[in-house]
């Protein structure tokens, strides 16, 4: 099984933690972003776990005046086999979890997906999409927020243009189909196309498409040009860009968010889109403040009920 190595960025902020489970459960494990693949071994006697996954928010761009899109929230019950080991992915805005990057702006990326992948079945089980990267129009300073991640379709990027450089903005991933990258009408610049299911993000005029954390898990976000790229998800969001050197002649689009997924084998769940630059699922009793917001990593919480011997 191919897995993505550590991505660039700041030191890992956390490790696996326990805590107080929600009503109806006796055990809990909370997985924070570490920029690496994590695992969960199903305890003996357990046939079902409950997953709550928050995708990463997209990174901001342009002196941090812009806002990345908020990460999605996917939750549900997952049928499992005692003793099997699941892959756990927790996305971040530094390249882990499939977010696309813009090479000249350090290691920031669109938000990475978070979710579970079954080694036994070789398929994703649940995925919370990451938010698209934000940008700003360099010539007039207008901040453009990235499209939110999650839900059946990730959010589209915002657009701002003047003069004779119109074009089309970046689109969010929809279902298993990656979103189109932004295209400037004179066809001189374009953002990378978001990856379809099982594909990394595409490369446009510049930057790097998002890499999959596990081969076959979701789609990577498209690269950005002069902006942070698209969010990773079940399908990746398209990458944006900005061009132009005059207040009367420019085009800018932020990047699209990645789609969510809650329909793997043996899964009964739901996926919800982020709202603006904030994560979905903030009313959940297991939500940690800040998780999934613009510039913030995602999280995965697993709970289960102990069965009698």
């Amino acid at each position: 099984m191919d897995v993505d190595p550590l991505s660039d960025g700041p030191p890992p902020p956390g490790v696996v933690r326990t805590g107080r489970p929600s009503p109806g459960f006796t055990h809990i494990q909370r997985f924070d972003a570490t920029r690496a693949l994590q695992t969960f071994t199903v305890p003996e006697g357990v046939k079902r776990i409950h997953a709550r996954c928050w995708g990463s928010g997209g990174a901001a761009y342009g002196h941090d005046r812009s806002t990345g899109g908020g990460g999605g929230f996917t939750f549900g019950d997952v049928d499992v086999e005692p003793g099997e080991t699941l892959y756990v992915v927790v996305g971040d805005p530094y390249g882990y979890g499939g977010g696309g990057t813009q090479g000249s702006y350090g290691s920031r990326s669109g938000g990475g997906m978070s979710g579970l992948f079954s080694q036994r079945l070789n398929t994703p089980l649940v995925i919370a999409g990451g938010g698209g990267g934000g940008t700003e129009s360099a010539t007039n300073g207008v901040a453009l927020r990235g499209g939110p991640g999650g839900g059946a379709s990730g959010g589209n990027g915002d657009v701002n243009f003047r003069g004779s450089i119109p074009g089309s903005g970046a689109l969010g991933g929809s279902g298993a189909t990656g979103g189109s990258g932004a295209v400037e009408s004179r066809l001189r610049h374009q953002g990378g196309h978001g990856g379809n299911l099982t594909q990394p993000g595409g490369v446009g005029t510049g930057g790097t498409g998002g890499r999959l954390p596990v081969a076959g898990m979701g789609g990577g976000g498209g690269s950005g040009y002069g902006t942070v790229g698209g969010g990773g998800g079940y399908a990746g969001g398209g990458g944006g860009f900005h061009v132009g050197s005059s207040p009367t002649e420019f085009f800018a689009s932020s990047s699209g968010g990645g789609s969510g997924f809650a329909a793997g084998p043996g899964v009964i769940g739901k996926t919800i889109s982020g709202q603006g630059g904030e994560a979905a699922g903030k009313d959940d009793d297991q939500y940690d403040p800040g998780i999934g917001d613009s510039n913030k990593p995602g999280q995965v919480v697993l709970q289960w009920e102990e069965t009698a011997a």
Side-chain angles (χ1 to χ4, degrees):
M1 180 69 64
D2 294 331
V3 298
D4 187 31
L6 288 175
S7 302
D8 295 331
V15 294
V16 177
R17 297 183 282 130
T18 56
R20 183 184 297 275
S22 302
F25 302 102
T26 57
H27 292 74
I28 182 172
Q29 283 195 17
R30 186 182 303 271
F31 295 81
D32 292 321
T34 63
R35 294 186 285 116
L37 190 66
Q38 303 177 66
T39 60
F40 173 77
T41 301
V42 178
E44 291 300 321
V46 174
K47 291 291 189 93
R48 177 174 293 175
I49 61 173
H50 182 76
R52 303 182 191 184
C53 308
W54 285 268
S56 169
Y61 179 84
H63 306 97
D64 291 334
R65 285 191 290 266
S66 67
T67 304
F73 176 52
T74 297
F75 62 95
D77 294 323
V78 181
D79 289 342
V80 293
E81 291 294 328
E84 75 167 302
T85 299
L86 305 177
Y87 282 140
V88 181
V89 171
V90 183
D92 68 23
Y94 291 93
Y96 188 75
T101 69
Q102 194 278 332
S104 65
Y105 194 61
S107 58
R108 296 189 185 186
S109 71
M113 71 182 88
S114 297
L116 298 178
F117 185 93
S118 170
Q119 295 185 72
R120 175 173 57 89
L121 301 174
N122 194 33
T123 190
L125 298 172
V126 291
I127 292 176
T135 191
E136 68 175 348
S137 300
T139 50
N140 67 356
V142 173
L144 302 177
R145 184 178 59 217
S153 296
N156 299 333
D158 289 342
V159 173
N160 186 30
F161 71 91
R162 296 288 187 275
S164 61
I165 317 183
S168 58
L171 302 182
S174 180
T177 302
S180 299
V183 178
E184 177 254 305
S185 61
R186 293 185 300 199
L187 300 179
R188 296 181 180 177
H189 302 90
Q190 65 181 36
H193 198 290
N196 297 334
L197 175 64
T198 77
Q199 297 178 344
V203 177
T205 305
T208 304
R211 299 177 301 181
L212 302 184
V214 180
M217 184 172 182
S223 69
Y225 177 70
T227 183
V228 180
Y234 191 59
F241 64 85
H242 65 68
V243 294
S245 57
S246 165
T248 59
E249 290 283 331
F250 67 87
F251 177 91
S253 170
S254 57
S255 297
S259 60
F261 177 69
V267 175
I268 300 175
K270 185 175 182 180
T271 180
I272 303 173
S273 175
Q275 297 295 316
E278 297 190 356
K282 288 195 169 189
D283 58 348
D284 189 88
D285 67 327
Q286 293 297 338
Y287 178 74
D288 266 355
I291 288 296
D293 289 345
S294 172
N295 282 317
K296 299 295 184 181
Q299 192 174 83
V300 171
V301 177
L302 302 181
Q303 301 183 93
W304 62 96
E305 185 177 7
E306 184 177 21
T307 58

